[in-house]
Amino acid sequence: MAIQWFPGHMAKARRQVTEKLKYIDIVFELVDARLPMSSRNPMIDEIVSMKPRIVLLNKADMADEKVTNEWIAYFKQKDIPALAIDSQTGTGLKQIITLSKVILREKFDRLAAKGVKPRAIRALIIGIPNVGKSTLINRLANKNIAKTGNRPGVTTAQQWVKVGKELELLDTPGILWPKFEDQLVGLKLATTGAIKDTILNLQEITVYALKFLKENYPERLKERYGIEQFDDEDIVPLFDEIGKKRGCLMSGGYIDYDKTSELVLRELRSEKLGRLTFETPADFHKEE
Ligand code: GDP
């Protein structure tokens, strides 16, 4: 993450989002489908409590489909509608408008009854850095960002992006911070590449990733790296075997752990290990 977050920045980000909420009907909360909890802002429920919301599980193309469906059910149970989308190709985006219309039908009917002319639904995209906010805005707007300028009744200059006739987005998304203080959250975000590797130790991230893969997707490791057997206790033998098999060695034949780490993370992030999800609703039911 290029942005440095300090308490002052967090408060400012929150203020900026709260300010934008005034102008919109609905919030599209973007999370990463591979880690839907860790890629959320810890205070999001409180921050957007006054507005209807749809959780968009973005990058669903890279996530484990079965777990994505579990997450959709999890949010539904909490009365938050959720959709799986892929902002890069546009998969699932049509449902966003359809669902928004359903959620806002009553409000718009009420406005119509008062004689207010029908208008497009106004929405704000919110999410932590790198979750895909700009990609989604560009995709929805067909890369054709048409700024529509000031709206009557909107005092501060807000720029809107038209999405067909039925939807308008604020052109700058709301950016909020993830749950930094939780080390596991940091490791998951770093594994998926949401946080720059330089912030956390490369080998530490890889140790987390390999442990996770060993426990949850061992067959992927077997397939990709030809691993026959796993050591129950220790992760180093697995690290060593991958390094050796892929020729990540230093002089003297020692394993180059940095090089092995870079290789594993690069392959994981480019789906060479298949579609992966790093947390399930069951992990959080335990906590709750
Ligand atoms: P922002 O910081 O939230 O605006 O995130 P960006 O829109 O810049 O996206 C961060 C990275 O995620 C970019 O490399 C995008 O190409 C990628 N990305 C965004 N959405 C998707 C998606 O649905 N699927 C995949 N595979 N990649 C995505």
Side-chain angles (χ1 to χ4, degrees), residues 3 30 32 34 57-63 85-91 93 125-138 173-175 193 269 271:
I3 311 154
L30 214 52
D32 187 322
R34 296 168 295 174
L57 297 147
N58 193 39
K59 309 194 187 184
D61 54 303
M62 301 182 84
I85 62 166
D86 168 358
S87 295
Q88 242 171 13
T89 61
T91 308
L93 302 196
I125 292 174
I126 291 185
I128 66 167
N130 278 315
V131 75
K133 297 178 297 299
S134 319
T135 309
L136 176 61
I137 292 176
N138 287 331
I175 306 171
R269 290 170 190 164
E271 277 182 273

Side-chain angles (χ1 to χ4, degrees), residues 51-67:
K51 291 286 171 182
R53 176 174 27 148
I54 302 177
V55 167
L56 300 174
L57 297 147
N58 193 39
K59 309 194 187 184
D61 54 303
M62 301 182 84
D64 188 327
E65 207 171 358
K66 182 176 151 277
V67 189

Side-chain angles (χ1 to χ4, degrees), residues 4-15 177:
Q4 300 255 316
W5 294 91
F6 298 111
H9 292 133
M10 292 186 182
K12 187 173 173 206
R14 183 178 177 158
R15 267 199 313 277
W177 61 97

Side-chain angles (χ1 to χ4, degrees), residues 4 43 53 57 70 78 89 96 108 114 135 151 157 161 165 169 174 183 200 204 209 230 246 254 266:
Q4 300 255 316
M43 296 164 86
R53 176 174 27 148
L57 297 147
E70 290 172 21
K78 297 199 171 304
T89 61
I96 300 176
F108 278 74
K114 283 191 204 157
T135 309
R151 294 238 140 267
V161 177
K165 284 200 169 66
L169 297 171
Q183 207 213 353
L200 285 173
E204 196 186 348
F230 294 103
R246 289 309 195 81
Y254 295 106
R266 190 174 59 241

